[in-house]
Amino acid sequence: MKTWVPSDAVAEVLSDLPGVECAVYDGTSSMPKGIEEVEVWIPPLVTVPDVPGTLARMSSLRLVQTVTAGVEPYRPHMPEGAVLCNARGVHDAGTAEWAVGAMIAVLREFPEFVDAQRRGEWTYHHTGVLADSTVLIVGYGSIGAALERRLEGFEVEIVRVARSAREGVHGMAELPRLLPQADVVVLLVPATPDTAGMVDATFLARMKDGAVLVNAARGGVVDTDALILELKNGRLRAALDVTAPEPLPEGHPLWSAPGVLITPHVAGSTPASGRRMLRLIKAQLSRYLAGEQLINIITESY
């Protein structure tokens, strides 16, 4: 079974599976030969060039197993007869940990204190605090649940929102009513046509003065220009692990906007995610070889 994998580490973990022939393709090196024979493709973390063209040439493809929770580069271009699965659960710990750290950093003004430290200035003053806050999680799935577990000791109220309402979780239709109550709004929604640009000027205007927007989803979920306006007038603050555009180019006004903490899409880039990714891939391909039901299959409802 010809399998393209993103790294030598993945090839090594699959080396004892019978009949699996691995070729490493990380998107930066030359494409291996035999693309028409590839049955399983595990793309790298950073999207390879020309995904549509690559998938179109994989005439034997039966499974794409991503190492990311997001599948937007692949989903619209999947060939007939192939199954798409994501890495749900792999990045939960890292992303949830980043979100907690980011919201605390912004509320307690850590970036400003670091700047003062570099200037050698003792800038004592009161700051915000996470305790007694309302944290609104928009896109409450496995990462949202992991975030809630990590927030249990911080004395906050959690409000959950997902695409569809269920017990204890509000539906998206209730979001306009819930936004003005939140001190922190955490975005964890997938990138879909429905979520593209959902955090627009109207969404941001509904957030309370002084609230913090935390984006650990995708940059395209947020209208960047609308956010910059809110940051410049000092009404909102933000912590962004993702941006639109991405990577954020030199000189972009978001770099110099006040009240924003930016990290370069690193929330899930941790050793824990790496270990969990290897375990998931090994388990998934073992299921595939045994003809068992695969996990994390992407359906129309995502």
Side-chain angles (χ1 to χ4, degrees):
M1 182 178 71
K2 195 171 188 66
T3 303
W4 278 10
V5 298
S7 66
D8 290 331
V10 175
E12 175 63 26
V13 82
L14 299 178
S15 62
D16 61 347
L17 293 183
V20 177
E21 176 191 346
C22 290
V24 175
Y25 178 50
D26 65 2
T28 62
S29 56
S30 299
M31 187 177 286
K33 295 180 180 179
I35 188 171
E36 299 84 3
E37 302 169 5
V38 174
E39 184 173 342
V40 177
W41 184 26
I42 305 168
L45 186 66
V46 178
T47 307
V48 305
D50 192 18
V51 168
T54 300
L55 286 171
R57 294 174 59 192
M58 290 180 164
S59 54
S60 300
L61 188 67
R62 294 297 175 266
L63 171 63
V64 175
Q65 171 62 62
T66 70
V67 298
T68 56
V71 294
E72 61 275 11
Y74 312 98
R75 187 178 182 186
H77 312 292
M78 289 293 294
E80 186 175 354
V83 175
L84 175 63
C85 300
N86 75 350
R88 176 184 171 91
V90 163
H91 303 288
D92 291 4
T95 305
E97 185 176 285
W98 177 89
V100 174
M103 64 180 75
I104 291 175
V106 172
L107 287 166
R108 300 308 304 265
E109 302 183 28
F110 287 173
E112 290 82 356
F113 286 127
V114 169
D115 289 342
Q117 177 184 344
R118 288 172 177 156
R119 298 191 303 267
E121 296 179 11
W122 188 268
T123 56
Y124 174 84
H125 61 274
H126 283 210
T127 70
V129 66
L130 188 54
D132 303 330
S133 296
T134 296
V135 178
L136 175 62
I137 301 175
V138 183
Y140 189 83
S142 64
I143 297 176
L147 173 58
E148 180 172 3
R149 290 194 299 272
R150 283 157 179 79
L151 287 172
E152 286 176 355
F154 285 94
E155 302 173 27
V156 299
E157 178 186 358
I158 303 294
V159 180
R160 311 168 195 86
V161 176
R163 187 177 60 86
S164 301
R166 54 187 187 272
E167 185 176 356
V169 182
H170 300 275
M172 283 291 186
E174 296 182 73
L175 195 51
R177 176 179 65 82
L178 298 171
L179 281 170
Q181 306 170 22
D183 301 287
V184 180
V185 177
V186 184
L187 304 175
L188 296 173
V189 295
T192 68
D194 289 337
T195 63
M198 66 175 284
V199 182
D200 56 12
T202 301
F203 182 111
L204 295 169
R206 288 194 175 105
M207 292 175 61
K208 68 162 60 175
D209 291 354
V212 177
L213 180 73
V214 178
N215 190 3
R218 288 293 185 268
V221 171
V222 177
D223 180 332
T224 301
D225 292 339
L227 177 60
I228 289 172
L229 287 176
E230 292 283 14
L231 294 171
K232 284 185 174 180
N233 67 28
R235 201 182 70 79
L236 299 178
R237 291 172 290 172
L240 311 174
D241 188 50
V242 289
T243 59
E246 189 175 305
L248 199 62
E250 182 180 357
H252 192 282
L254 195 54
W255 283 121
S256 56
V260 60
L261 169 66
I262 301 172
T263 58
H265 206 152
V266 298
S269 300
T270 70
S273 295
R275 292 189 293 268
R276 295 168 194 208
M277 179 265 290
L278 293 176
R279 289 199 296 267
L280 171 67
I281 290 173
K282 179 70 172 287
Q284 188 76 302
L285 262 69
S286 297
R287 286 172 176 266
Y288 180 80
L289 290 169
E292 298 174 355
Q293 179 65 39
L294 300 178
I295 59 174
N296 296 350
I297 296 176
I298 299 299
T299 63
E300 287 302 316
S301 62
Y302 208 84

